[in-house]
Structure formats: C-alpha cells, structure tokens
Amino acid sequence: MAENASTTTTARRETFGGIVYRIYAFKGWVERARKRLRLFREVDVDVESNFRTALREDPEDEKENSGFLSFTIDEHGNAFYLWTCLVSLVALHPLVFTSLSVFQNVHSFLRTTGPINLLLDLINILDLIAHTRIEYVENGVAVKNLSKLMHHRLKSKFFILDVIAVIPTESLEVFGESFFWARINRLTKCYRLFNFSTQTDTRTTSPHAFGLFKLIFICMVIFHWNGCFYFHISKVYNYATARLEHWIFSYDKIINPILATCATDDIYDKNFCDTDDLLITHLPDNEVQSTVTSFMSTWDNKTETLKFANFFRQYALCFYWSALTLVTLGEQPSPCTTFQNAFEIGDTLLGLVIFAVIVGDVGNMVVAINLRKSEFENVLDGCKRFMVYRKVPHLLRNKAVEYFGYVWAHGGAQVDEEEIAEFLPPRLFGEIAVEIHMDTLKKVKLFENCDPRLLYELILKLQLRVYSPMDYICKKGEVGTEMYIVKEGFVEVVSEDGQTIFVTLPAGFVFGELSILNIPGNKNKNLRTASVRSKGYSDLYVLDKEDLWEALREYPQAKDSLIQKGIQILEKDKMIDPDMVDDDEGDFNGPIEDYIEHLNQEILKLTAMVDDAEKSIHASQQKMKNRLFGVEMELIEEMKKMKEGMGECEKEELKFWKKKRTNVCLL
C-alpha cells in the first residue's frame, strides 16, 4: 500500500511538473511567434499592410468608417463653408446682446429670447460634434479614421472653447438674473468668426472690398462694447441726476427733437408762425423774460415733440461718445473723478492704437490695389521716354500708348499668366489650362481623336500675344513656324496688297496648323498660303513649331497620326505631290541646338569610319611589304646557289641585288 501511494504521489508530481513545463514552453513559443511575426511585418512581405502603413491608415479603418453615421467632413468643401457661415451668425448673437444687457430697458426683450437661445445652443453643440469629424492632413494624406479625428480634436485648444460655449449657465442659475454673466461664456465661440473670415478670403473675388468690410466690422464691435461699458459706468454714477456738463450719460445731451406744426415759410398762410428771433435779441433786458414767456405760451400748441425710446437715446449717445473718443476727436465734457479720468486715458490710448491700425490697414489696401497699376504706369512712362529719346514718329507713339491702354482695360496687365504659372504647381496649372483650351484644340480637324497626353503637352506650351489693329499676324509666302488660336477679337484673311478681305475669323478659330508639321510632299513647302491681319485688338494663343516637335518626339505614334491626317487634309485640296521628296535637312525637326547635336553625331560617325579605313589601309600595306620581303629572300637564296657557276659580271649583278634588298628592308 505504501509503495502504491508513493508511486501515485510521484505520478501526480510528474504530471504537475509536466503541465508547468508545457505552459512555459507554450509561453516561449508564443513569444518567438510574435518576434517572427514582427520580423515578418518589418521586412515588408505584406504589400497591402505596407501600402496602408505608407498612407497612415489602419486595415480596420474601412470597417470602422462604414456606416451611415460614419461620415467625415472636408473643411475646404462648400458644405462646411456654408455651415461656418451659419455658426458665425450664431456667434454674433452673444457678441451683440451680451453687452446690451447693461441697458435696463433691454431686459424685457432678453427674457423672451429663451427659445432662440436654446436653438443657438443646439447649433453650437452640432458644431462641436461636426469638428470631431473634420479631416486633417498627415504626411500629405487626408486622415479619415473616426477615432483619430476624435483624438486630434480633443488635443486642439479650440475644443475647450467649444465645451465652454455650450455650458448651460442660464439653466444652472449660477449668476442669478444677470443676463451679462449668464451668457458671457458664449463669447468663446467668436473664434468661428475668424474661421469664416479666413475661408472667405480664399473664396472671394474682391479681397480688398472684403478686407475693408472686416475693418469696419471690427471697429463697430469695439465701439459697441466700449459704449456699453461707458453706460455701465454712468449707471454706477447715477446718470438720472446728471446734467449737460457732466462726463457721464445724461438725457440733456440727447433731447427729443421738437417739430413745428405750423407753416414757417409762407407768411400768407393762416397758420404761419414767425420764427424770427431778431425782436428778442434787440429787446431791453427787462422785457426779454416776459417776451420769452409769451412766445412759449404761443408755441405750446404749435409744436410736436418726436419722442424716441429711452433705450435708443441711451445707446445712440453712448455709441457716439465711444466713436468720438476712440478716434481721438474728443469734444466731450471733462472727467469729474479719478476713475473717470483713468478710463478716459485708457480709452484714448486704445483709440490711438485703433486709429493707427485703421490708417495702416487702409494704406496697405490702397497700396495693394494700386500696386499693379503703379508698376504698369512705370513701364508706360519708360516706354514714352524711350520713344522720345529715339525720336519715334508721332503716329507710332500714339499706337504704342493705345496698346498700353487696351492691355490695361482688358486685364492683361493686371493678371500675369506667367507669374501664376510659376506660383501654382505644374499639374494644377496644367488642369486649369486644359479646362480653358482643350475644347478649342479638339475642334481642330488635325487634332481630332489625338492622344490627350499630347494635347496636354501642347496646351502648356501655348503663349499669349496681343496684336494691334491692322497688324499682320503672318504674310503669304513666309515660312510657317507658328500655329494660332484666336482667344478674343477678330482676324481677317486678306490678299497680298491688303485691299481684299476674303474672310473674317472669330474667337475660337485655329489657323496655321498645317505649316508647322513638315508634311512630306506638301506643294507649299510649309509656306503661308494667305496673309492674316488683326481687325482690331486681338488676343491670340501661339504654339511654336519647335515646341510642337519637342512634344512629338515623346509621342512618335501621335506624330505619325498627325502627319497622316495632314496628308489627308492636303489631298482633299490637291496640295500633295507624291513625287516630291523633302531634303535631308528638312527631315529633321526641332530646335537648332538639337540640329547641331545631330550634326556632331554624324561627324563622329564619319570620323570613326575614316579611322577604320585608314587602319585597314595600313594593315594591307604591312602585309604587302611582308610578302615582297619573303619573295626577295627566296630570290636571294636561289642566287646563292647559282653563285659558284657565275662569272665576274654575274657577281656584280649579285651585289646589285643585295644592295637592292637592303634598301627594301630599310623601307
């Protein structure tokens, strides 16, 4: 029994130890598997995961963002801009009415705005939620993951302002019945006005006018709050007992107007009232009081007082005082107490700053508006001085000045396309240019069904030119090196003497496209077949021949297609001669630099061929010399064998041949 018990205990211990061992072994296997998995991910085996990593997106983003409520907002879209406009109007409510609560007569109106305040608070809450769905850019890619968008918004400092703005301080009754303190937390939402201003600056076509509107709006808000604070000080000093000469608000400073109800301009009217005060001014002192009393009793029934509400009189005078003080015009009663004096000094200093900002901003706007015009006028003045210095005829001077006037009036001098092209990314400017010119190029028969990539390259190479009235764009017989697109104005196809007008080409017409293709067999040899001149001022887009062929070298198939289309067009007009063969020089199309490089390559090829021929000649000569030397040696050996049987004459001949052999060897 004891042995069986010990055996059972040992088995249990081994079983427990085995379980522990297996657990640790499994744990080690899991750790090693994690390391291998981590290494597997680091070596970029999974292409999809690497692609998502490069875009900073998680594989679960698509699943998480799938759903009706899983939307995101593009802050540069039109929908968010319209929403920003609405929220900006909501932000104006506390900006205006919070300070108006210092006027006692407004309280009855503010008590009726409870439902409106609830609606505005609801819009603020929706705006808080909407900001948690706004996309942001990270490493050049728009992030659309909802959890990341939420985390990004929570880290923003504006999130705290949004939360403060939606705290229901009115319902909590923390500040009692004070409308000012109950709604002051809504002012934190005013930062949305700056967002609206920034977005409008990028969208408006009149930035200077909008900048002036912003300046006026900011001044009005400052005048409004400063005037309300002035009335609050007047309440502290009991404005009800104030007189005209006091610094604080007084009703004596803004009395209700009194209007005469009788006729004051027609002496024959039965209701005529004499308003002449010369009688009063010339009366003795002891009669003035009685006369005034008599006049007052006379005017009691002949006047009407136009009464305004107390709130209107209070706010109008306070706003007027604030505007005069902040623009440093003064003309106000002097302060009576130390606090009033300190407030007046602070307001004056603030007014100096505001006045400086206003003058600076207005000056900057005026300079910005006139900057382009000033630069244009400087160029015009320089051109005038140049023409006077060079004694240009008066007719040409007037023509040049009229050209400057046309360019400025039609916006050519106000917008520099080359400057815009340098500022914008090439692809973006290309899209704009394609939007402008693509339809026009597709209407040309030569470019119908052409490769869009080639058309894109050609559009980027278009240059704008302006022609004055009666200027010749091209003349008959000239070598065609440019193609023209009429942007604005009219051009005329005329005879060589310019007296006969064959046809007038309107805007959108294209001509000169066949002369820049170097079509083989063209009877005109790329010469202009007609003269074209500008009827008035004309704007034309020009495509140079070198630019066309530079683009065609990248698209050889499109090149062959264009030439075939050109041949078909010329065949219809019977302008193709199959027997004509273009010169070798004419087969090359491109810039002169490329042509020179082409010639250099040909020269190098010819030089290599000459070198090879020279080496071959030298080798042939060497072989020939070796063969001659061998023949002579064989001859000498034969002569040695014949030496013994020779006489004196034969020996002299042998010496001659030896000498001859020596000369050959030297050669």
Side-chain angles (χ1 to χ4, degrees):
M1 290 290 293
E3 184 178 357
N4 293 336
S6 61
T7 302
T8 304
T9 304
T10 303
R12 290 178 178 176
R13 288 177 181 175
E14 291 178 356
T15 304
F16 178 75
I19 293 174
V20 173
Y21 172 78
R22 290 184 178 87
I23 291 175
Y24 277 100
F26 179 74
K27 183 178 180 182
W29 178 83
V30 170
E31 292 178 355
R32 290 192 297 272
R34 288 179 177 176
K35 290 181 180 180
R36 288 195 297 270
L37 182 59
R38 191 180 303 110
L39 181 61
F40 180 77
R41 291 178 177 177
E42 290 177 356
V43 296
D44 296 336
V45 176
D46 188 1
V47 178
E48 182 179 1
S49 63
N50 294 334
F51 180 74
R52 294 181 181 275
T53 302
L55 296 180
R56 299 298 187 199
E57 294 181 353
D58 296 332
E60 292 80 10
D61 286 355
E62 297 180 359
K63 295 181 181 179
E64 182 180 350
N65 291 346
S66 60
F68 177 73
L69 298 178
S70 303
F71 63 91
T72 58
I73 301 174
D74 181 11
E75 63 178 342
H76 303 293
N78 292 330
F80 185 72
Y81 175 70
L82 296 176
W83 174 256
T84 303
C85 295
L86 176 61
V87 177
S88 300
L89 294 176
V90 173
L92 284 177
H93 181 268
L95 189 63
V96 175
F97 287 96
T98 300
S99 55
L100 285 179
S101 61
V102 299
F103 296 94
Q104 189 65 31
N105 296 329
V106 183
H107 289 186
S108 58
F109 169 75
L110 294 178
R111 291 189 182 94
T112 61
T113 59
I116 298 177
N117 293 336
L118 291 177
L119 178 61
L120 300 181
D121 290 343
L122 177 61
I123 295 176
N124 288 334
I125 294 174
L126 294 177
D127 185 61
L128 187 150
I129 298 173
H131 272 82
T132 60
R133 302 297 181 94
I134 294 180
E135 302 172 3
Y136 68 94
V137 178
E138 183 179 5
N139 295 328
V141 179
V143 177
K144 299 183 179 181
N145 181 266
L146 297 183
S147 59
K148 290 184 178 180
L149 296 180
M150 175 67 75
H151 183 67
H152 181 265
R153 184 59 183 177
L154 292 178
K155 294 191 300 182
S156 174
K157 60 182 179 181
F158 296 108
F159 177 75
I160 300 176
L161 299 180
D162 289 340
V163 173
I164 295 175
V166 298
I167 297 177
T169 52
E170 287 180 326
S171 301
L172 297 177
E173 297 183 358
V174 178
F175 303 102
E177 296 182 356
S178 175
F179 291 99
F180 180 83
W181 295 109
R183 300 290 299 178
I184 196 171
N185 63 311
R186 271 66 175 181
L187 293 177
T188 58
K189 202 66 179 178
C190 291
Y191 79 91
R192 295 287 279 138
L193 293 172
F194 296 98
N195 294 346
F196 169 75
S197 173
T198 302
Q199 295 186 31
T200 305
D201 280 332
T202 59
R203 294 171 180 266
T204 181
T205 56
S206 303
H208 301 300
F210 182 70
L212 183 61
F213 169 77
K214 286 194 299 182
L215 184 62
I216 295 175
F217 174 76
I218 293 174
C219 292
M220 295 290 288
V221 171
I222 295 176
F223 294 164
H224 169 76
W225 276 81
N226 189 61
C228 293
F229 191 47
Y230 168 74
F231 186 77
H232 179 71
I233 296 174
S234 301
K235 288 172 59 178
V236 174
Y237 285 95
N238 192 12
Y239 66 89
T241 59
R243 302 297 300 272
L244 182 64
E245 63 275 7
H246 290 169
W247 180 81
I248 60 176
F249 170 83
S250 174
Y251 284 112
D252 294 342
K253 298 179 182 180
I254 181 169
I255 60 176
N256 290 318
I258 300 176
L259 305 178
T261 57
C262 57
T264 59
D265 54 352
D266 188 3
I267 59 177
Y268 300 103
D269 194 331
K270 61 180 181 179
N271 294 324
F272 173 72
C273 301
D274 189 6
T275 57
D276 190 3
D277 60 346
L278 295 178
L279 179 62
I280 299 177
T281 56
H282 292 82
L283 287 175
D285 294 341
N286 56 353
E287 298 181 6
V288 170
Q289 186 63 36
S290 60
T291 304
V292 169
T293 303
S294 175
F295 274 25
M296 292 296 293
S297 60
T298 302
W299 282 98
D300 280 342
N301 299 325
K302 297 181 180 181
T303 59
E304 180 182 2
T305 302
L306 185 61
K307 294 184 179 181
F308 288 92
N310 290 338
F311 165 72
F312 179 82
R313 296 168 63 186
Q314 293 169 359
Y315 182 77
L317 181 62
C318 292
F319 190 90
Y320 174 74
W321 179 92
S322 175
L324 288 182
T325 303
L326 291 178
V327 299
T328 65
L329 290 180
E331 299 181 5
Q332 298 294 336
S334 301
C336 303
T337 64
T338 303
F339 177 78
Q340 295 176 4
N341 193 22
F343 179 76
E344 183 79 18
I345 293 173
D347 249 20
T348 303
L349 294 177
L350 179 62
L352 290 174
V353 174
I354 295 175
F355 186 75
V357 171
I358 293 174
V359 172
D361 286 349
V362 173
N364 291 335
M365 282 188 289
V366 172
V367 170
I369 293 173
N370 297 328
L371 179 60
R372 183 69 68 178
K373 187 175 182 180
S374 299
E375 295 176 352
F376 179 78
E377 290 177 349
N378 291 335
V379 176
L380 176 59
D381 294 339
C383 182
K384 290 180 180 178
R385 290 192 297 268
F386 168 78
M387 291 187 292
V388 171
Y389 176 73
R390 293 297 182 182
K391 298 180 181 179
V392 178
H394 188 70
L395 182 62
L396 289 180
R397 294 186 194 177
N398 291 338
K399 189 174 182 180
V401 173
E402 290 175 359
Y403 169 78
F404 275 95
Y406 169 81
V407 171
W408 177 259
H410 287 72
Q414 304 179 38
V415 179
D416 190 351
E417 292 190 9
E418 295 182 358
E419 182 180 352
I420 296 174
E422 293 178 358
F423 178 78
L424 291 176
R427 182 60 61 180
L428 178 57
F429 180 76
E431 292 178 0
I432 296 175
V434 166
E435 187 67 25
I436 297 174
H437 305 296
M438 182 62 79
D439 293 338
T440 303
L441 279 183
K442 286 184 177 180
K443 294 178 182 178
V444 182
K445 293 183 178 179
L446 186 63
F447 296 111
E448 287 181 353
N449 302 322
C450 186
D451 190 344
R453 296 173 297 176
L454 175 61
L455 295 181
Y456 176 82
E457 296 293 337
L458 297 180
I459 287 173
L460 294 182
K461 299 180 184 297
L462 293 176
Q463 298 178 356
L464 180 64
R465 291 184 190 173
V466 180
Y467 290 89
S468 301
M470 307 306 292
D471 281 351
Y472 275 89
I473 301 170
C474 59
K475 291 186 177 181
K476 184 177 181 180
E478 294 180 345
V479 178
T481 59
E482 294 172 333
M483 183 189 79
Y484 304 93
I485 302 175
V486 183
K487 174 194 173 188
E488 185 177 354
F490 295 90
V491 296
E492 299 173 335
V493 181
V494 298
S495 58
E496 293 187 45
D497 57 0
Q499 299 298 323
T500 305
I501 301 175
F502 298 114
V503 66
T504 300
L505 307 180
F509 201 86
V510 181
F511 61 94
E513 66 275 11
L514 294 177
S515 61
I516 62 176
L517 274 179
N518 287 348
I519 299 175
N522 188 356
K523 293 182 179 181
N524 294 323
K525 295 291 293 184
N526 300 327
L527 300 179
R528 300 293 188 188
T529 58
S531 298
V532 182
R533 71 185 180 191
S534 176
K535 184 176 181 180
Y537 284 102
S538 303
D539 298 347
L540 277 74
Y541 283 105
V542 181
L543 176 63
D544 192 80
K545 181 178 182 179
E546 295 183 358
D547 294 334
L548 171 65
W549 283 96
E550 181 181 355
L552 288 178
R553 280 196 294 272
E554 303 295 333
Y555 302 95
Q557 296 180 353
K559 170 187 172 182
D560 298 337
S561 175
L562 288 179
I563 292 178
Q564 291 299 324
K565 288 182 181 179
I567 292 175
Q568 294 175 3
I569 294 174
L570 291 176
E571 284 178 347
K572 291 181 180 179
D573 298 333
K574 298 181 180 180
M575 298 301 296
I576 288 291
D577 187 356
D579 299 331
M580 293 179 61
V581 180
D582 292 341
D583 298 335
D584 294 337
E585 182 180 358
D587 292 337
F588 185 87
N589 300 283
I592 188 64
E593 294 83 1
D594 295 345
Y595 185 64
I596 294 174
E597 182 65 24
H598 172 71
L599 293 180
N600 290 333
Q601 296 294 333
E602 294 296 328
I603 292 173
L604 291 176
K605 292 179 181 180
L606 293 176
T607 304
M609 294 173 63
V610 172
D611 292 339
D612 294 340
E614 186 177 0
K615 292 178 181 179
S616 178
I617 292 173
H618 284 299
S620 300
Q621 289 179 351
Q622 188 65 32
K623 290 180 180 179
M624 184 62 67
K625 290 177 182 179
N626 293 334
R627 292 180 64 183
L628 289 175
F629 180 75
V631 171
E632 290 179 355
M633 291 300 295
E634 292 178 359
L635 180 61
I636 291 172
E637 292 295 333
E638 292 292 334
M639 293 176 65
K640 284 181 179 181
K641 294 178 180 179
M642 298 171 62
K643 183 177 180 182
E644 297 177 355
M646 291 182 181
E648 291 296 332
C649 294
E650 294 174 348
K651 290 181 179 180
E652 291 296 332
E653 186 178 358
L654 180 62
K655 290 180 180 180
F656 172 77
W657 283 108
K658 287 182 177 180
K659 186 177 179 180
K660 186 70 174 176
R661 180 180 62 81
T662 305
N663 293 334
V664 173
C665 292
L666 290 176
L667 292 173

